[in-house]
Amino acid sequence: MKNTVTVKVLDRDYIIRSEDGEEQVRKVADMVNDRFLRIKEHAEGMTERKIAILAAFDIAGDYLNLAKEHDDLRAEIRARLKALNDQIDSTVGSV
């Protein structure tokens, strides 16, 4: 079931329909708004459209960095589990 939530980004109201709960939608809107405002501070005279594009790139960059960290951690865990399994196998095999 889709939830309808009204949020404010750059002093404009937007009606968002989402499968996520209201709290999650508001957190996302707050994050987007904060990123917009941070970029807007340093982009005097820039249109909202350009600010939105920069914010999208900034957020996407953060996402891709976190996705890489996640993948790296999963690979490290897999390697550690394999090492532990090999150690257990060699210990059990020698008994």
Side-chain angles (χ1 to χ4, degrees), residues 10-43:
L10 289 180
D11 294 324
R12 290 189 180 165
D13 289 333
Y14 294 92
I15 297 171
I16 306 296
R17 295 185 73 206
S18 175
E19 297 284 335
D20 294 329
E22 181 177 346
E23 183 179 345
Q24 177 70 6
V25 172
R26 290 194 186 285
K27 283 181 182 180
V28 170
D30 288 344
M31 185 179 114
V32 169
N33 191 56
D34 289 346
R35 195 68 57 104
F36 275 25
L37 291 174
R38 200 173 337 143
I39 291 169
K40 191 175 181 178
E41 283 179 15
H42 303 288

Side-chain angles (χ1 to χ4, degrees), residues 4 36 40 43 49 75 79 86 88 90 95:
T4 302
F36 275 25
K40 191 175 181 178
R49 180 178 179 184
D86 291 347
I88 289 169
S90 68
V95 174

Side-chain angles (χ1 to χ4, degrees), residues 12 16 20 28 55 63 65 69 74 76 80 82 94-95:
R12 290 189 180 165
I16 306 296
D20 294 329
V28 170
Y63 170 80
N65 288 336
E69 284 179 35
R74 287 179 59 103
E76 183 180 337
R80 286 183 180 188
K82 184 181 179 330
S94 65
V95 174

Side-chain angles (χ1 to χ4, degrees), residues 31-91:
M31 185 179 114
V32 169
N33 191 56
D34 289 346
R35 195 68 57 104
F36 275 25
L37 291 174
R38 200 173 337 143
I39 291 169
K40 191 175 181 178
E41 283 179 15
H42 303 288
E44 197 171 309
M46 191 175 287
T47 66
E48 283 187 9
R49 180 178 179 184
K50 287 183 181 179
I51 292 170
I53 291 168
L54 287 174
F57 270 86
D58 202 30
I59 292 167
D62 287 351
Y63 170 80
L64 291 174
N65 288 336
L66 287 171
K68 183 180 180 332
E69 284 179 35
H70 178 262
D71 291 344
D72 291 349
L73 286 171
R74 287 179 59 103
E76 183 180 337
I77 289 168
R78 270 190 240 109
R80 286 183 180 188
L81 286 172
K82 184 181 179 330
L84 284 171
N85 280 333
D86 291 347
Q87 191 175 20
I88 289 169
D89 288 345
S90 68
T91 302

